[in-house]
Amino acid sequence: MNKTIVDVLRQASKSCVVKRHFAQAELLIKQAMSLASQAYAIDKHPRYSDTLMDYGFFLLNSDFIQESVRVYERALTIRKEVFEKYNILVAIGHEDLAYAQYVNEYSSGQFYSPRSFSYTSCTSMKCGFQTTDAPPMQFVL
């Protein structure tokens, strides 16, 4: 039952972020993080990494950019440990981290980290899924 509640809290939080209701979004995503930690018993579960990705989304949109990058890195690490190299969730993790790095490094004008993560995302998706469409971040960088 906690797993369903975690998913509902995650989705509600993302809706609040989109509507720019950050105080409500923070409350919801932090509750989801707490319940996810309990529900999955270990912090290496794919659903826990999904919750981290949503927390990173909240942080990025709330202008906590550096913390967002750290959370996305943690989520990506979990996904890489759980899944194979060519997995859509790993590719999405690379892409989200690339965007967070892009926002973080925007002021310096040097985009080495975002380029690397975006390239890895494209490679993962093309090799693993034989797609012809490149993710949007590759074009931005």
Side-chain angles (χ1 to χ4, degrees), residues 2 5 12 14 27 29 31-32 53 59 62 74 83 86 88-89 99 108 114 119 121 133 138 141:
N2 276 348
I5 293 170
K14 287 192 283 188
L27 178 69
I29 194 61
Q31 185 67 35
M53 295 295 285
L59 291 169
S62 302
R74 188 167 156 215
F83 299 113
Y86 300 117
I88 189 72
L89 295 175
Y99 183 72
S108 72
Y119 177 78
S121 173
D133 297 331
Q138 187 69 25
L141 301 173

Side-chain angles (χ1 to χ4, degrees), residues 43-94:
D43 291 345
K44 301 289 182 186
H45 196 280
R47 298 305 294 254
Y48 184 72
S49 76
D50 293 343
T51 308
L52 283 173
M53 295 295 285
D54 292 339
Y55 184 49
F57 176 75
F58 161 75
L59 291 169
L60 186 65
N61 285 280
S62 302
D63 293 331
F64 295 102
I65 313 298
Q66 292 178 341
E67 181 64 22
S68 174
V69 169
R70 286 191 288 275
V71 170
Y72 277 129
E73 287 172 341
R74 188 167 156 215
L76 180 58
T77 299
I78 293 170
R79 287 180 176 190
K80 287 162 75 175
E81 290 174 2
V82 172
F83 299 113
E84 298 176 7
K85 181 178 181 181
Y86 300 117
N87 180 285
I88 189 72
L89 295 175
V90 173
I92 291 169
H94 279 287

